[in-house]
Amino acid sequence: MSHARPVLRRPEGGLALVLALVAAAAVFVAVFLFGRTNTPDYTATLFGRADADALRLKAQLATGVLVLAALQLLLALWMYGRLPGPRRVPGPVPITHRIVGVLLFALTVPIAVHCVRAYGVQLTGSRAAVHSIAGCFFYGAFAAKVLLVHSRRLPGWALPLAGGAMVVAVVVLWYSSALWHFNGDSVPVLSVG
């Protein structure tokens, strides 16, 4: 009879996927409920700016997030050999991908805090509803990606799907907020209602 100690292992791929989905759903629901129960404070400031100045600053910061998300996508495609040209990935690419990801996430926090403080999660009007849901989804997708990036037993599609979901969420958030602001409070499709 063997008395060998059990070896502690990382969760199997299926379990890691389930945990990531549960975390994504939990974060989505938590942000959504917090935003729905928050009493909007339309006088809330962002770095000392209020009203139209705060909206302009958020639109500019969101544009920076969009640029960083595009860079993240390009770096990820390079790391996974999905770009044309040389297949060799220089050593700085993965660390650059991580640094850009941290900067991207950090830049979203003041924007999101102002949105939740000033407006909460709004479901009236198509633009506000899409923007609110996309914001909750972004943070859920982020939670999933953080968990998935640390698992080595995943199907090959899992991490790119989580990263891609985050990029799509950033595009939707930018379209429903920054572009809306820059375009005189109007964007195609979402300006109705």
Side-chain angles (χ1 to χ4, degrees):
M1 178 153 49
S2 171
H3 294 287
R5 290 188 298 171
V7 176
L8 296 176
R9 298 185 313 173
R10 293 180 178 184
E12 295 295 327
L15 178 59
L17 282 173
V18 169
L19 291 174
L21 287 173
V22 167
V27 169
F28 175 92
V29 168
V31 173
F32 181 86
L33 291 176
F34 180 76
R36 288 297 291 165
T37 58
N38 179 58
T39 303
D41 175 8
Y42 298 109
T43 64
T45 63
L46 176 65
F47 301 119
R49 297 182 184 184
D51 304 319
D53 288 339
L55 291 177
R56 186 178 316 103
L57 178 58
K58 281 197 323 188
Q60 292 165 343
L61 292 173
T63 300
V65 169
L66 181 67
V67 169
L68 290 174
L71 180 58
Q72 274 292 87
L73 179 59
L74 285 172
L75 290 169
L77 290 171
W78 193 0
M79 288 187 322
Y80 285 98
R82 301 291 187 221
L83 291 178
R87 296 287 183 217
R88 188 175 99 44
V89 177
V93 171
I95 190 69
T96 303
H97 180 76
R98 286 186 181 149
I99 291 168
V100 169
V102 168
L103 290 172
L104 186 156
F105 182 79
L107 196 54
T108 68
V109 173
I111 299 168
V113 167
H114 183 267
C115 283
V116 171
R117 284 183 58 223
Y119 310 109
V121 169
Q122 296 183 12
L123 300 177
T124 54
S126 58
R127 186 203 62 85
V130 166
H131 186 74
S132 293
I133 298 298
C136 297
F137 180 83
F138 173 81
Y139 286 103
F142 176 79
K145 187 170 186 273
V146 166
L147 290 175
L148 292 174
V149 81
H150 293 293
S151 179
R152 301 285 182 239
R153 300 171 180 242
L154 294 172
W157 52 265
L159 191 56
L161 180 66
M166 290 181 65
V167 171
V168 168
V170 166
V171 169
V172 170
L173 287 164
W174 182 83
Y175 181 84
S176 62
S177 62
L179 181 61
W180 176 81
H181 174 75
F182 294 139
N183 200 40
D185 298 347
S186 175
V187 288
V189 180
L190 298 179
S191 293
V192 179

